[in-house]
Amino acid sequence: MRAWMDRGVLRGRIHGRSLLVLVVVAALVSVAAVWQFGALRDEHDPDLAEADTPGGPQFTAAAETTSASAPATSPESPESSAASPSGDPTTSAAAAATSASAADAGPECTASLSLDTEWSSSISVAVSVANTGAEPIDGWEVLLALDGMEVTAAWGLEHLEGDRYGDIMFNAAIAPGESVDPSFSADVEDGWVLPETVPCTPA
């Protein structure tokens, strides 16, 4: 009976030691597995390994790139604001050129026509030659190229050549804003139309 109990105790001890050995082996296998998993993870994702390191820097490459690429803006200095001109030199030059052209234009005139008398085949026309410029006129010329009309006589107009007619000395000078009033008569055809103005040129 005692021998049987001794064998039972011996078997229990053997089983306990075997179980202890299995626990130790399982613990070692678990540690090896964890270590191998960590090594594989570090090899495939270095950034993750740096984030897990207690003393490692806690920032990403994207944040570093953004900080480096941000441009540094400096406020505009008073000197640069004062140096920029307020006016456009091109516009000023154009305005000056326009003023110079207007000053160099010289005397100007216009010639207006109005119907005075109408007969069956002729008419009498009043002409108003006006100085529309800023300088006096000392001589002028009008062009009476009238469709359906032929000038037959003129008063205060001298026939120069073709359809050109000019002043007759006593009405040559016209002050700015003033006018002279010559006239003419003409034979007309059917459908004639009297224009309101004709070309006028200062002499």
Side-chain angles (χ1 to χ4, degrees):
M1 182 69 175
R2 183 173 180 82
W4 179 84
M5 291 179 63
D6 291 339
R7 283 198 298 267
V9 173
L10 181 60
R11 288 178 182 175
R13 290 178 179 177
I14 293 174
H15 289 167
R17 291 175 181 177
S18 299
L19 181 61
L20 181 60
V21 170
L22 289 175
V23 171
V24 172
V25 171
L28 292 175
V29 170
S30 299
V31 171
V34 170
W35 176 82
Q36 187 175 7
F37 175 76
L40 290 175
R41 184 187 63 176
D42 295 346
E43 181 179 354
H44 287 82
D45 195 352
D47 293 339
L48 193 58
E50 290 182 3
D52 291 341
T53 305
Q58 301 298 320
F59 60 90
T60 61
E64 182 179 341
T65 305
T66 304
S67 302
S69 61
T73 58
S74 58
E76 184 179 0
S77 61
E79 290 79 8
S80 61
S81 300
S84 44
S86 58
D88 187 354
T90 305
T91 305
S92 302
T98 303
S99 301
S101 300
D104 296 341
E108 298 179 2
C109 68
T110 59
S112 304
L113 305 183
S114 59
L115 182 63
D116 187 13
T117 307
E118 179 180 358
W119 295 279
S120 59
S121 59
S122 62
I123 57 173
S124 176
V125 179
V127 183
S128 177
V129 180
N131 183 348
T132 55
E135 299 181 9
I137 290 176
D138 190 15
W140 46 267
E141 178 183 318
V142 295
L143 185 64
L144 300 179
L146 308 173
D147 293 336
M149 304 181 191
E150 182 180 355
V151 177
T152 56
W155 295 270
L157 294 170
E158 180 183 2
H159 183 233
L160 302 177
E161 66 172 333
D163 296 322
R164 296 170 51 220
Y165 291 80
D167 62 85
I168 54 172
M169 293 183 64
F170 74 87
N171 62 358
I174 308 176
E178 301 294 329
S179 62
V180 295
D181 302 303
S183 61
F184 66 90
S185 59
D187 291 339
V188 296
E189 301 175 356
D190 293 339
W192 63 273
V193 177
L194 184 69
E196 294 183 359
T197 60
V198 291
C200 178
T201 305

